[in-house]
Amino acid sequence: MAELTSMNWNVSSNRQAHHTDKFYSPELILRRGQLFTVSLGFRENVGSGQNLTFTVSTGPNPSESAKTKAVFQLSNGKSGGWSAELQANRGNTLTISISSPANAPIGRYTLSLQSSFFSGQLGTFILLFNPWLQADDVFMSNAAEREEYVQQDAGIIYVGSTNRISMVGWNFGQFEQDILSICLSILDKSLNFRRDPANDVAQRNDPKYVGRVLSAMINSNDDNGVLAGNWSGSYPGGRDPRNWNGSVEILKEWKRSSFKPVRYGQCWVFAGTLNTALRSLGIPSRVITNFNSAHDTDQNLSVDVYYDPRGNPLDRGSDSIWNFHVWNEAWFTRTDVGPSYSGWQVLDATPQERSQGVFQCGPASVIGIREGEVDQDFDMPFVFAEVNADRNTWIYDSTTNTQMKSSSESSSVGKYISTKAVGTNSRMDVTEKYKYPDGSAQERQVFQKALGKLRPNRLFRATSAESSERDVQKPSISGKFKVTGLLVVGQEVNLALNLKNLASGRKTMTVNMTAWTIVYNGTLVHEVWKDSFTISLDPGEETQHPVKISYAQYEKYLKADNMIRITAVCQVPSEGDVVVARDIILDNPSLTLEALGEARVQKPVNVRMLFSNPLDEPVKNCVLMVEGSGLLRGNLKIDVPNLRPKERSHVRFEILPTRSGTKQLLADFSCNRFPAIKSILPIDVAE
């Protein structure tokens, strides 16, 4: 009787054909809808193996009705479902090609064989989404985009503010050892899986479903997911979100701690980690930054911002405007809302608002957002408001418990929506994908359409910018903060408040100014400076009032965001108050990385870090953290000696490249005076 003696998964050729050869893990990783070959060796000739029956199954309670199990014979010709065909019969070895359907659930599968001479498991494989296959919901036809959005394991995330866009590198590392397996276990730890495992696994054929579950699981709210968020400016028992260089360490730490939430994340950390999970499972994805991003909590498409008469920003009301917010876009078809809404879909893992009782967000069609389709699934009103909400500024006086509207703006939210360009590290602006040009007739039309869908029983919207401009007096003065010196941590901050009298008569005003250090989402940390003065201006007259904030005033309260919010409330008797506000970002000293020699695969190369302490005081507790997929396994943590005032530090370390091509080395330097200084070094690795 023929006995099965060997089973060859042809891992190398199958993985190459399925574009999974970049994964470091040795197992068989396949993409759905595409055939793979296995070779079965027997002790003697078995003919054409007609009586072979295969079974594939995934999940805890596999069933044919849920399509999590399939039983199929060796036959000639493919069916729509799972099938097996004889490719070659060389004496005692049968080479068999097995095909999976293009809509099979993704995940870990077991392959079994039943025959007259062998019954049992042959082994396991992982099945992923297939962006190379037209029949797959995640199909992406453009090869350069596919390379970037599926295969690229390092990237750039934009941060900062509208007048100072900067970038940080991020190591997605989706191919690193164990990362794919951890991303599959994210699905197995979800609330949906815990409630109904069989149903959850059956729905893993759908990228909408998988994306939504991941958006819930990357934050730890509700479900003990991957990352705990913290925007307080204080990060005890965890890491300052600005110190992470990528997702690999976060995901490994989550697994190592028996799946306890990793502390701490902020929006780009959630987005970078979600991007790793999406790309690892084969869903094309990218990271998006929205500057002046609105957080509208009550679906009225307007955000209210408050100040007191002394010029202090107030933490009042639940709405806010973040200097920037980072989310993801994933690429797939939307059979549920209609094919015209296919393509990029917003997924957001930052826990901001509950959706169906859980902190999750998306998928929301980008095309749908541009067209104001706020009644579509999923979470369209929230995402629409993030890029479109009106901004109302109020002066709230706690002594009289009264508030006065100071201004209303319809085009200050949703600026410079950015992502890394395909194939280069330059910034690509995608604002026009989210909305028509600000102020255009189409943009206002879409806004009113969205408003009508959200508030159908209101004839007009009293809070929209057009109508509320009626209840805001035209100001008789204008003001603006101008930067008059270098904005550098460790040095005095120099600005000027420019004021102009727009009226035909003389105006006397009192100006109250404050400066607060903040976290990028507007969380107030501490007041660091204040000033008041009274001034009279003739018609058309302009004046400049200097603002000087010393390092001693702000050093103790500046967070890793390096952000200071400066506000002036200008009070003209018997007229409305005018609020002038500006957020500034201070530059860190530079951190320089250089490779000392040519980088080649499997050949160690030294890298040097240079850092000069710019301060007149020593810096201590200095740590350098380095990572980069394809350049070193895991990450390096190097303790750097204390630096005297103005002292220069040189640190050398060794990396061992494992992959050829352009790779990204990322460094984060932290010490008691500079919580997070970043550097990126692209390294060309030769074969």
Side-chain angles (χ1 to χ4, degrees), residues 149-169:
Y149 299 135
V150 182
Q151 300 286 67
Q152 182 56 259
D153 58 6
I156 297 287
I157 301 177
Y158 294 94
V159 297
S161 67
T162 49
N163 43 28
R164 189 135 188 83
I165 295 175
S166 56
M167 59 187 217
V168 293

Side-chain angles (χ1 to χ4, degrees), residues 293-297 303-305 317-322 352 413 521-522:
S293 191
H295 181 167
D296 175 23
T297 53
V303 167
D304 297 307
V305 181
S318 49
D319 289 352
S320 56
I321 291 180
W322 296 24
Q352 288 181 295
V413 161
N521 70 338

Side-chain angles (χ1 to χ4, degrees), residues 277-314:
L278 291 164
R279 286 186 187 178
S280 77
L281 299 178
I283 300 176
S285 62
R286 60 188 186 181
V287 177
I288 299 285
T289 304
N290 178 38
F291 290 94
N292 287 356
S293 191
H295 181 167
D296 175 23
T297 53
D298 50 10
Q299 295 204 355
N300 68 348
L301 299 192
S302 78
V303 167
D304 297 307
V305 181
Y306 295 88
Y307 296 89
D308 73 9
R310 306 297 309 153
N312 291 298
L314 297 177

